[in-house]
Amino acid sequence: MILKKIKNPFLRYTIIFILIFVSLTFLFVTSVYIGIWGKLPSKKELSTLKYQQASEVYSADSILIGKYYLLDRQPITYSEFPQHLTEALVSIEDERFYNHNGIDYKSMLRVAFKSILMQDNSSGGGSTISQQLAKNLYPRTKFGAFNLVISKVKEMFTANKLENVYTKKEILLHYLNQVSFGDNTYGIESASLKFFNKKTKDLNIPEAATLIGMLKATYGYNPRVFPEKSLKRRNLVLQSMYINGYINETQKDSLIKTPLQLNYRDFNYNDGIAPYFREEVRKQMLQWIKKKNEKEEAYNIYTSGLKIYTSLDYKMQVLAEEAMKEHMTKLQNSFEKSYGKNAPWHKNKKLINKAIKQTLAYKKLKKMDLSESQIMDSLNVKKTMIFNDWDKKTTKQASTIDSIIHYIKFLNIGSLAISPKTGEVKVWIGGINFKYFKYDHISQSKRQVGSTFKPIVYTTALEKGSEPCTYISAEEVEYKNLEKWSPSNSGNKEEAYLNYSMKEALSNSVNTVAVKVLEKTGIENTITQAKRMGITSKLSNLPSLALGATEISISELATAYTSYVNGGKWSTPLLIKSISNSKDSILEKFAPKISEKPAFSKETNMIMLEILKATIDSGTASRIRSTYKLKNEIAGKTGTTQNNKDAWFVGITPKLVSVTWVGLDNHEIGFKNTRIGQGANAALPAFAILYQKMNKNSSFDYITKSKFNKPTSEVLNALDCNPTKKDGFFKRLFKNPNKKKRKVFER
């Protein structure tokens, strides 16, 4: 009725339009509020916010070495935010943050006026920090043409509820822990660690401004990808901080001149420190979670924010990886040169075809029922590939088969260093490059151990009553009941006239003597002794066991050798020391696993340690002294397997037992000759170079300057004899060194 009294039709229709618009708007907003376009979160739901958190892996010295995550997020407390971080955020994203209840109507009107009336796309979105938090917590769903309007209204209601549930500080806390910084990085702590390799609390003003500046466009303002754009955006944040009174003009002018300096560290699965170690920790964690979830609260390694504290020594691992690269670069070069143009990865078609058929690419094509020729045609297709070598990367047109041939020639390594008292793992190098060689030579591999098994044979002999100064002939023997098996030494024929003391025979790794010691001691007794020392693998029940012709893992060998510096008790490798939840409450601690009883007597222990020290001082590992000039107290043993397939070195010091293996993953390829492939040349240097580096760092003095316990006078007297003695004149007269003695091996 009132409208009919309005004479001006334009005014009347305008009022009608406004009333209809307001009514429709009211109905629309009401429909959003009551949940027709999707249920809004309740205050109760908002008061118990939970989001995915990355699980963190720490070294023994509390350095973050890796993460397991679906979304890379590490929530922190508000007290860990530097004040200038929140000031930068409020200045650039929501300058009236402390004066509104989640919705900044003034900003909304500004955006509406500029965007709709003035068609200015640079006006921004008008969303408050609370609205942005709502958007991050509850990602938008699609509603067709009305998508943006519906989402905005829902976010406004949610933002208002958030303001009623949380204080302003708590909203900032949730926002900065929740927000995305691109590259699957969520939350300020993860971003700070990634771009500046420091914790949020340590960010300076320009660094904080750089990260806050990214929030407008995480890719477009990524400082690694677009440093110039990121710098301009950072300076705009600093300008906003000045306008809002958080910094003065002098500070602003000075900070704007600061160059953009990143310390980028991507917590990538393939890269970073100790990738093989982190993968083994992940596997052990999955087993722990499986058992835990059967009884208690469900944990997820990728989302529960667990904190895993390990035994790894960060500094030592860094040095060990450096030593490995230095040594393996040179060794690879020598290895390839030794074969020259006749290398099996070029000439041996049978070997190459076998390697091709073992690849996933070949197996995948085979499942598609393609013929052999079709598969090979497919694998021969050229494409742009990056070939990795130790000293360079090469981009070229190559096929899958070219790639197989390139990587089949690479020597690999497994190196483990543990504390003999506790088994705590200090160094874990499972291979040369985790990105290209996922196979872990510590946790997954078993190889023949060569002469590194001989100390177990001699330990058994001592336990069975043999004296260390017992002399045994080095004469080569052909065993009639072992298909004329005839183990030999690398020395000259004159060795046939020599008799070695047990000390000299072991320190110089004399094969013929080792077999005779095993024969006298007994194979079964030796196997039993090995089990007492912590070896669990099934051992060969053949005389070749004396020469290490049996497959054992690196970790088992390390376990066995810990008994020599731990009073006869072995300790197994321990990777994880404790696990905590996201609030740092301890969920479980892990105790070292040490044998209850000594595997041998104190006297045997002292004798064996003296013999293994002699191996370093004057035996097969003497280049520790001569070439690498190490003066530390070290014992050890080298090992080389048949046809130079495997090279080993075990280094023993009072506080560290280190086992290193070097060889090829393809068992059909060995070193060209013993000069290159022997343990003293192929494996020992990785240990020696590491110790050279540790000697230069005083933080390792507790290891490098440690001393072995002195042996008793009785033990020293038992070892006090000539290393060798020759056969008598008449025995030499009637012995033909060119003729092998024939006999039956007595079991």
Side-chain angles (χ1 to χ4, degrees), residues 505-560:
L506 179 55
S507 64
N508 283 281
S509 208
V510 183
N511 290 337
T512 53
V513 174
V515 174
K516 291 169 185 176
V517 171
L518 178 70
E519 182 180 19
K520 181 182 177 182
T521 304
I523 296 175
E524 288 298 333
N525 290 332
T526 303
I527 291 173
T528 300
Q529 181 63 49
K531 289 180 179 177
R532 285 184 187 145
M533 294 171 70
I535 290 177
T536 57
S537 292
K538 185 177 180 180
L539 301 178
S540 168
N541 193 9
L542 294 170
S544 57
L545 178 65
L547 308 181
T550 192
E551 294 183 343
I552 300 173
S553 69
I554 289 174
S555 58
E556 286 178 275
L557 202 60
T559 294

Side-chain angles (χ1 to χ4, degrees), residues 195-424:
F195 290 99
F196 297 105
N197 196 20
K198 61 171 65 174
K199 291 183 175 293
T200 303
K201 63 182 181 181
D202 299 320
L203 290 171
N204 59 34
I205 296 177
E207 291 167 345
T210 300
L211 295 179
I212 293 301
M214 290 179 66
L215 298 177
K216 183 176 177 64
T218 55
Y219 180 71
Y221 293 120
N222 185 313
R224 180 180 61 86
V225 183
F226 303 107
E228 291 183 3
K229 289 178 66 177
S230 176
L231 185 63
K232 288 181 180 179
R233 178 66 180 171
R234 182 205 72 177
N235 291 343
L236 182 61
V237 175
L238 294 172
Q239 179 70 25
S240 295
M241 291 179 73
Y242 163 67
I243 292 171
N244 285 279
Y246 292 121
I247 57 175
N248 59 41
E249 188 173 9
T250 303
Q251 285 178 298
K252 182 221 19 168
D253 293 341
S254 174
L255 292 171
I256 283 176
K257 294 176 183 177
T258 305
L260 179 64
Q261 293 180 323
L262 300 183
N263 185 3
Y264 191 80
R265 183 186 176 192
D266 191 5
F267 289 88
N268 186 287
Y269 174 68
N270 288 319
D271 302 321
I273 192 78
Y276 292 94
F277 177 82
R278 288 185 276 115
E279 172 59 10
E280 181 60 21
V281 168
R282 187 187 73 86
K283 290 178 181 177
Q284 292 190 15
M285 281 298 301
L286 291 176
Q287 291 298 315
W288 178 83
I289 287 171
K290 184 179 179 182
K291 291 179 182 178
K292 201 77 172 172
N293 288 351
E294 290 174 356
K295 301 177 182 179
E296 302 176 26
E297 178 184 351
Y299 292 105
N300 186 306
I301 191 173
Y302 304 108
T303 61
S304 296
L306 299 172
K307 296 184 179 181
I308 305 146
Y309 297 94
T310 72
S311 60
L312 194 81
D313 188 307
Y314 181 85
K315 291 179 183 178
M316 197 186 301
Q317 178 73 23
V318 169
L319 295 182
E321 290 186 11
E322 289 176 1
M324 180 270 289
K325 289 174 184 176
E326 287 177 28
H327 169 56
M328 294 300 288
T329 301
K330 293 178 182 177
L331 185 65
Q332 184 70 39
N333 186 47
S334 298
F335 172 72
E336 292 183 33
K337 280 185 177 179
S338 70
Y339 274 106
K341 295 180 181 179
N342 296 316
W345 50 88
H346 292 309
K347 296 290 186 179
N348 192 330
K349 291 183 178 180
K350 184 178 178 182
L351 183 146
I352 294 169
N353 286 333
K354 187 174 180 180
I356 291 169
K357 291 180 180 180
Q358 290 174 340
T359 62
L360 291 174
Y362 178 90
K363 292 175 181 177
K364 186 177 180 180
L365 293 170
K366 190 72 175 176
K367 283 184 179 179
M368 296 168 65
D369 292 328
L370 297 178
S371 67
E372 195 70 15
S373 61
Q374 288 175 319
I375 293 173
M376 290 302 175
D377 286 343
S378 178
L379 295 177
N380 266 312
V381 173
K382 303 283 184 180
K383 53 189 173 183
T384 302
M385 301 182 79
I386 299 174
F387 281 20
N388 254 35
D389 287 292
W390 280 108
D391 55 346
K392 64 181 184 299
K393 289 183 179 180
T394 307
T395 302
K396 56 185 176 182
Q397 292 296 306
S399 68
T400 301
I401 291 177
D402 294 329
S403 176
I404 293 167
I405 292 171
H406 177 75
Y407 287 109
I408 198 176
K409 68 183 179 183
F410 273 87
L411 292 165
N412 226 308
I413 191 172
S415 188
L416 174 68
I418 66 176
S419 166
K421 299 291 183 185
T422 62
E424 291 182 5

Side-chain angles (χ1 to χ4, degrees), residues 16-28:
I16 292 172
F17 174 79
I18 291 171
L19 289 173
I20 293 172
F21 177 78
V22 170
S23 299
L24 290 174
T25 300
F26 176 77
L27 290 172
F28 169 70

